[in-house]
Amino acid sequence: LEFMVDHEFATRAEVTDVTYAILEGADVTMLSAETSKGRNPVAAVRTMRKIAKHARTRVIPLPIVPGGRPPREGDKIINAMAHPAVEFAETLGATRIVCFTHSGETPIAIAHYRPRQPVVAVTYNPETVARLAPYAGIHVVYINYVPKDPVEHRDVCHRLLETELHIAQSGELSVVAMSMGTEEPDRRETNALYVLRH
C-alpha cells in the first residue's frame, strides 16, 4: 500500500495486489514504509486488514476428492492425515477441526487445504503458540498439561470447546486429530482422528 505513505487511501492496483495475495494462499501480508514513515500508519493497517478480511471470504477450499489424494514420496504421517481430516469435516458438516499438537505441523498441514471450518490448534508448547500465530484459519489455544490417552483427550476437548471457550453448541460435530502413542509428547506424530459430538 505504498500510496498510503503520503495519502489517506490505497490505489486500486494496491488493493488488487493484496486481494490476489490472499486468494493465492498467502497467510500473511506485510506493511513497511506505510507504518514506519507513513503519514497515517493506523489507516494503513486498517486498510490492509479490511482488504484481507474481505478477500478471505472469497478463498476457495482445495477440492477434497473422496478416497484421498495420491501419496507423495517422503510423506509424513501428519501430511497423510491432513487430507482425511478435512474430508471428514466436510462430509460430516463438522463445525471445526481440532488438533492437539506439539510442533504445530498438523494444523499447518490441515490449514493448507483451506477448509471451510476453522482449525483449532491446542498446544502445551509456548513456542508453538508463537509459530502458529501468523497462519490463516488457525486459532491457537494454550493449555498447561498434556492429555495422556483418548478418553482424556475427549474430556479436555469437551471442556475447552464447550465450557472454557464457549464455541461449541449442542448438536455440533468437531473432527479431532491427535497422537496415540507411548513416546514423549515432543516425539509423537498425529496418527488418529475421531469425531466429537457436542
Side-chain angles (χ1 to χ4, degrees), residues 64-82:
I64 301 299
V65 180
R69 63 162 175 76
R72 293 191 289 252
E73 187 176 346
D75 257 357
K76 293 182 177 180
I77 294 174
I78 289 171
N79 296 329
M81 295 289 289

Side-chain angles (χ1 to χ4, degrees), residues 93-171:
T95 309
R96 69 198 55 79
I97 302 170
V98 182
C99 304
F100 285 83
T101 182
H102 173 78
S103 66
E105 287 188 38
T106 300
I108 290 170
I110 290 172
H112 163 77
Y113 288 98
R114 294 294 190 254
R116 298 181 213 284
Q117 301 80 3
V119 179
V120 180
V122 182
T123 185
Y124 46 85
N125 184 354
E127 293 177 7
T128 300
V129 174
R131 178 185 183 197
L132 294 177
Y135 285 90
I138 299 178
H139 307 279
V140 188
V141 178
Y142 177 73
I143 59 176
N144 58 5
Y145 52 89
V146 183
K148 296 180 174 56
D149 56 54
V151 174
E152 192 174 352
H153 269 273
R154 186 176 295 269
D155 292 342
V156 168
C157 208
H158 269 298
R159 188 173 67 249
L160 277 175
L161 299 177
E162 297 169 15
T163 308
E164 296 181 21
L165 301 175
H166 303 287
I167 59 174
Q169 307 298 320
S170 178

